[in-house]
C-alpha cells in the first residue's frame, strides 16, 4: 500500500537536501532585512542573474565531476583561455561573433578531451591533471593575449550574456513576454511533478500526502512567478537565464534519466562494484571531463560577453566558487551523491551572500572569511549526516 509522508518526514528523509533549502531561505530573509529590502529589488534580482550565471554554469559540470569522485581545478583557467580565443578571433581578426563562439566551444571540448585522456586512460588523478591544467591554460591565456586585455566585443556578442528578451507581447511598466515564459515553464514543471508522483503511487512507493503536494506546488509557483515579476519590472528576460535554464533542464535529465548519468553515480558511489557491473569506467570518466571542458567554454563565452572583453586574469578563483557551490548544494566529498538542482541552490547561496554583503558595504576580506566558514560548515554537516546514518 502506498505510504504518505508528513512535513517532518519529508525534511528528515534527506537532511542534506532539505537543509540547504532551509538555509537558502534563511539567508535570503536575513540579507533582505539587513539591506532594507534592496536584495530583492527588481534591479538587484536581475543583476544577481547576470553577475553569477557563469559560476552556476560551471557548477553544473563540476557537480558531475564530483559525483564521479573527481575534482577539476582548471575551470577558471579554461574560462579565461576560451574567452581569450574568442576575443582574438572576433576583436583582433574581425571575424563574425559566431566564429568566436564556435571556436571557444571547440577549444573547450579539446581541453576536456585532453584532461579526460590523462585521467581516464593514463590513470593520473584528476586533482593532479587539472592542477597542471590550471597552470597550462593560464599560461596559454597570457600567450594568446600577449599579456594585454582585448576589448570591446561587437554588440551582437555582448548580447549573449548582456541582452534581454522583452517587448514581444508588450506590457505597461512590465514585460508580458517574461511572465508568459515563466508561466509556461511552471505548467511544464507541474505536469512533470504530477506524473512523477503518479508513477511512485503506481509502484507503491511513499509519497507526500496530496494536500501537502498541492501546497508545495503552490509555494513553488508563487516564488517562481514573483521572480518573473521582478525580472519583468526590470529589463525583461535575460538571454543568459535562457541559456542557464536550458542547461539545468538538460543536465537534470542526463544525470537522473540516462544510462550515462546512472553510471556516473555508480562510479562515484562504488568504483569496484561499477567495474564488476560492466560499467565502462574509463569512457564514462572521459565523458565527464570532456563535458566539463565544454561547459567551462560556455562559461568563458558568457563571462567574456558580460565583461565585454578578455583579460589575462579572467576566471581567477572561479573553480573554487564552482566547487563550493556543489558541496554547499549537497554533493558528497567522497562522490556518488549530488544533484544539479542542489548545485544551483548552493551557487545561489554563495551569490546571495556575496551580493548581500556587497550591498551592506562589507569589506572583501570579511566576505571571503564568511564564505569559507559557510563551505566548512556545509561539509561538516555532510560528514555529520553520514556518521549518524552509519550509526543506525
Amino acid at each position: 500500500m502506498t505510504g504518505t509522508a508528513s512535513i517532518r518526514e519529508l525534511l528528515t528523509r534527506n537532511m542534506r537536501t532539505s537543509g540547504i533549502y532551509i538555509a537558502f531561505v534563511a539567508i535570503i530573509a536575513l540579507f533582505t532585512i539587513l539591506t532594507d529590502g534592496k536584495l530583492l529589488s527588481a534591479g538587484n534580482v536581475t543583476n544577481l542573474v547576470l553577475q553569477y550565471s557563469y559560476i552556476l554554469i560551471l557548477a553544473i559540470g563540476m557537480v558531475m565531476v564530483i559525483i564521479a569522485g573527481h575534482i577539476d581545478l582548471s575551470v577558471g583557467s579554461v574560462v579565461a583561455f576560451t574567452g581569450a580565443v574568442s576575443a582574438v578571433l572576433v576583436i583582433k581578426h574581425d571575424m563574425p561573433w559566431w566564429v568566436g563562439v564556435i571556436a571557444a566551444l571547440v577549444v573547450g571540448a579539446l581541453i576536456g578531451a585532453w584532461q579526460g585522456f590523462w585521467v581516464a586512460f593514463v590513470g593520473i588523478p584528476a586533482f593532479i591533471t587539472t592542477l597542471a591544467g590550471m597552470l597550462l591554460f593560464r599560461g596559454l591565456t597570457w600567450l594568446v593575449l600577449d599579456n594585454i586585455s582585448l576589448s570591446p566585443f561587437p554588440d551582437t556578442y555582448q548580447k549573449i550574456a548582456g541582452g534581454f528578451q522583452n517587448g514581444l507581447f508588450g506590457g505597461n511598466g512590465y514585460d508580458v513576454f517574461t511572465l508568459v515564459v515563466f508561466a509556461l515553464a511552471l505548467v511544464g514543471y507541474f505536469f512533470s511533478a504530477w506524473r512523477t508522483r503518479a508513477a511512485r503511487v503506481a509502484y507503491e512507493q511513499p509519497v507526500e500526502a496530496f494536500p501537502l503536494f498541492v501546497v508545495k506546488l503552490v509555494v513553488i509557483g508563487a516564488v517562481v512567478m514573483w521572480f518573473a515579476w521582478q525580472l519583468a519590472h526590470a529589463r525583461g528576460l535575460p538571454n543568459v537565464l535562457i541559456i542557464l535554464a536550458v542547461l539545468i533542464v538538460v543536465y537534470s535529465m542526463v544525470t537522473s534519466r540516462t544510462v550515462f548519468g546512472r553510471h556516473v553515480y555508480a562510479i562515484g558511489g562504488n568504483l569496484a562494484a561499477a567495474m564488476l557491473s560492466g560499467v565502462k569506467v574509463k569512457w564514462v570518466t572521459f565523458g565527464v571531463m570532456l563535458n566539463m571542458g565544454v561547459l567551462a567554454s560556455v562559461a568563458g563565452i558568457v563571462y567574456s560577453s558580460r565583461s565585454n572583453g578578455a583579460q589575462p586574469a579572467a576566471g581567477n578563483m572561479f573553480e573554487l566558487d564552482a566547487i563550493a557551490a556543489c558541496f554547499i548544494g549537497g554533493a558528497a566529498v567522497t562522490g556518488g551523491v549530488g544533484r544539479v538542482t542542489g548545485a544551483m541552490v548552493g551557487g545561489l547561496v554563495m551569490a546571495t551572500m556575496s551580493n548581500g554583503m556587497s550591498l551592506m558595504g562589507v569589506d572583501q576580506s570579511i566576505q571571503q572569511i564568511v564564505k569559507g566558514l559557510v563551505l566548512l560548515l556545509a561539509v561538516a554537516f555532510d560528514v555529520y549526516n553520514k556518521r549518524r546514518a552509519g550509526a543506525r
Side-chain angles (χ1 to χ4, degrees), residues 83 86-95 97 149-159 304-311:
S86 184
V88 167
L89 292 175
V90 177
I91 298 173
K92 201 170 183 179
H93 296 288
D94 200 28
M95 292 187 177
W97 68 272
S149 299
L150 282 180
S151 63
F153 278 107
D155 290 343
T156 309
Y157 191 95
Q158 293 180 46
K159 289 180 180 178
S304 59
S305 172
R306 165 73 177 164
S307 58
N308 193 22
Q311 304 86 28

Side-chain angles (χ1 to χ4, degrees), residues 51-63 66 71-77 79 134 292 299 303 313-329 331 342-355 357 364 367-372 374-375 378:
Q51 291 173 4
Y52 297 97
S53 55
Y54 40 87
I55 298 298
L56 296 179
I57 292 172
L58 289 175
I60 293 173
M62 188 65 73
V63 75
I66 291 173
I71 204 74
D72 193 335
L73 301 177
S74 69
V75 294
S77 296
V79 165
M134 180 175 67
M292 185 71 258
Y303 183 75
N316 187 33
M317 302 293 285
F318 281 11
E319 58 276 353
L320 300 185
D321 286 335
I323 293 169
C326 296
F327 286 139
I328 292 174
M344 295 300 95
V345 175
L348 290 173
V349 167
M350 298 288 285
T352 302
M353 288 193 304
S354 296
N355 183 260
M357 287 187 287
Q364 190 69 29
Q367 293 188 33
Q368 295 299 317
I369 293 172
V370 171
K371 289 193 287 186
V374 169
L375 174 59

Side-chain angles (χ1 to χ4, degrees), residues 35-329:
T35 60
D36 295 326
K38 293 179 183 178
L39 179 73
L40 297 182
S41 64
N44 193 61
V45 169
T46 300
N47 287 335
L48 269 172
V49 174
L50 297 177
Q51 291 173 4
Y52 297 97
S53 55
Y54 40 87
I55 298 298
L56 296 179
I57 292 172
L58 289 175
I60 293 173
M62 188 65 73
V63 75
M64 293 183 66
V65 173
I66 291 173
I67 290 169
H70 301 291
I71 204 74
D72 193 335
L73 301 177
S74 69
V75 294
S77 296
V78 177
V79 165
F81 182 48
T82 53
V85 169
S86 184
V88 167
L89 292 175
V90 177
I91 298 173
K92 201 170 183 179
H93 296 288
D94 200 28
M95 292 187 177
W97 68 272
W98 54 267
V99 173
V101 171
I102 293 175
L105 292 173
V106 170
V107 168
L110 291 174
I111 290 172
W114 164 264
Q115 300 196 130
F117 167 76
W118 291 105
V119 175
F121 298 108
V122 179
I124 299 177
F127 180 87
I128 301 300
T129 299
T130 58
L131 179 61
M134 180 175 67
L135 302 174
L136 172 63
F137 301 121
R138 181 64 64 183
L140 287 173
T141 302
W142 294 341
L143 186 64
V144 167
L145 292 178
D146 198 21
N147 283 336
I148 61 173
S149 299
L150 282 180
S151 63
F153 278 107
D155 290 343
T156 309
Y157 191 95
Q158 293 180 46
K159 289 180 180 178
I160 295 174
F164 295 83
Q165 299 299 319
N166 51 34
L168 297 179
F169 296 161
N172 185 17
Y174 57 91
D175 181 50
V176 175
F177 176 75
T178 301
L179 299 177
V180 170
V181 169
F182 273 85
L184 291 175
L186 268 180
V187 170
Y189 171 77
F190 290 161
F191 179 71
S192 176
W194 177 79
R195 286 192 61 184
T196 299
R197 186 180 188 278
R200 289 178 177 174
V201 170
Y203 285 99
E204 298 186 351
Q205 296 177 354
V207 296
E208 64 265 60
F210 187 74
L212 187 59
F213 174 72
V214 172
V215 170
K216 182 183 74 173
L217 295 186
V218 170
V219 171
I220 292 174
V223 171
V224 169
M225 290 311 297
W226 171 86
F227 179 67
W229 183 255
Q230 295 297 87
L231 293 179
H233 269 73
R235 288 172 281 179
L237 183 63
N239 290 340
V240 72
L241 184 59
I242 299 174
I243 297 172
L244 184 59
V246 170
L247 291 175
I248 292 172
V249 171
V250 169
Y251 280 93
S252 293
M253 293 181 64
V254 167
T255 54
S256 63
R257 301 187 181 183
T258 67
V259 173
F260 177 79
R262 289 194 291 271
H263 286 177
V264 172
Y265 280 99
I267 291 171
N270 191 322
L271 178 59
M275 295 176 68
L276 291 173
S277 299
V279 176
K280 297 179 179 179
V281 174
K282 292 182 179 180
W283 282 107
V284 173
T285 301
F286 179 82
V288 168
M289 300 305 293
L290 173 64
N291 176 72
M292 185 71 258
V294 172
L295 285 178
S297 69
V298 174
I301 294 166
V302 169
Y303 183 75
S304 59
S305 172
R306 165 73 177 164
S307 58
N308 193 22
Q311 304 86 28
N316 187 33
M317 302 293 285
F318 281 11
E319 58 276 353
L320 300 185
D321 286 335
I323 293 169
C326 296
F327 286 139
I328 292 174

